[in-house]
Amino acid sequence: MAWLRDLRWIVYQEVQAHTHSRVADIVATQGAILWVIETKLSLSLDAVEQALKWAGNAHYVSVAVPRGTRRVQSLFDHELIYDVLNWKGVGLILVGEDGAAEFIHPQLRRRINVHPIRDALWDKQQTYAPAGNADGKRWSPFDQTCEQVVAIVGDRPGLETSELLSRLRHHWKTSTAESNLFELGKRGEIHGAEMRYENHRWKWYPEKSTKYPLTRLL
């Protein structure tokens, strides 16, 4: 991470392009350029294949592996992985205790659709979960939608679902967005916001505090 940031890339970790879709270990941005990096414990054809799945959505794709592992050395001895990486335009980053270095620079891809990745980038992904963590921890599109709902409702209590949705950068398809949001509110699944039935309308409000009043603590 420090190596990328030193090169003035903004680094996002565990980026999920859409709900239930695959997750990129690292997405680095520099201006309009997107770079997806898959982090692996060893270099393999499977690792290259996984990186290539992002080839239609990122300008660069690379694989990052620990430097000096037996797995890396044996595959380079056979020259198979080296040839495949160059053939497919996938970069290779070697990571050691003293930092990282680019062994193969990735091919620049110009005819791509960056929106699935670009639209899934949020500031919290820069620090929320480490890339490639074994716990599956990540800041998901659902987490981001819920956080926005709480912030909007806190600023403008009493909105109806359609009004709230118009102010929301959500992760749903347009055709199902309003019904999805309404159902989440009815089931109380967005912590920090709640729906109340007023004047024959369902409206959104900040969730009532469960803390005791100050007088109860004195």
Side-chain angles (χ1 to χ4, degrees), residues 31-211:
I33 301 297
L34 285 177
W35 187 3
V36 171
I37 302 171
E38 292 292 346
T39 61
K40 302 298 174 186
L41 294 177
S42 63
L43 187 59
S44 67
L45 288 174
D46 287 342
V48 178
E49 182 181 14
Q50 188 170 339
L52 279 170
K53 290 180 179 178
W54 298 104
N57 303 118
H59 298 92
Y60 296 119
V61 292
S62 294
V63 176
V65 297
R67 182 189 297 127
T69 63
R70 291 182 180 179
R71 181 65 173 160
V72 172
Q73 188 58 50
S74 64
L75 287 169
F76 268 87
D77 287 344
H78 291 90
E79 297 185 356
L80 172 62
I81 297 298
Y82 181 83
D83 289 343
V84 172
L85 289 168
N86 280 287
W87 172 41
K88 293 294 187 180
V90 177
L92 177 61
I93 300 167
L94 301 181
V95 183
E97 293 182 0
D98 57 343
E102 219 178 357
F103 191 87
I104 299 175
H105 189 68
Q107 169 190 322
L108 175 63
R109 303 171 192 276
R110 300 182 185 277
R111 296 183 178 181
I112 59 172
N113 176 17
V114 299
H115 296 294
I117 297 177
R118 179 73 68 180
D119 293 346
L121 297 179
W122 303 94
D123 289 344
K124 280 204 171 182
Q125 293 163 338
Q126 297 180 35
T127 57
Y128 184 75
N133 72 86
D135 301 322
K137 184 179 180 182
R138 61 180 175 272
W139 185 252
S140 69
F142 177 76
D143 292 327
Q144 184 62 38
T145 297
C146 290
E147 183 175 81
Q148 289 181 87
V149 167
V150 174
I152 293 169
V153 169
D155 187 54
R156 298 178 66 91
L159 291 174
E160 294 185 22
T161 300
S162 59
E163 297 172 317
L164 172 58
L165 190 65
S166 69
R167 293 170 168 80
L168 186 64
R169 179 183 158 191
H170 57 82
H171 66 287
W172 297 297
K173 293 181 179 179
T174 303
S175 60
T176 61
E178 186 169 347
S179 61
N180 286 337
L181 181 58
F182 184 83
E183 287 302 317
L184 285 173
K186 286 289 296 295
R187 295 197 300 265
E189 294 186 15
I190 299 182
H191 302 298
E194 64 181 14
M195 294 178 69
R196 303 175 199 166
Y197 194 64
E198 294 181 346
N199 300 321
H200 307 290
R201 299 278 188 179
W202 284 100
K203 297 183 180 181
W204 288 83
Y205 289 92
E207 192 173 35
K208 292 180 180 178
S209 173
T210 57
K211 295 180 181 179

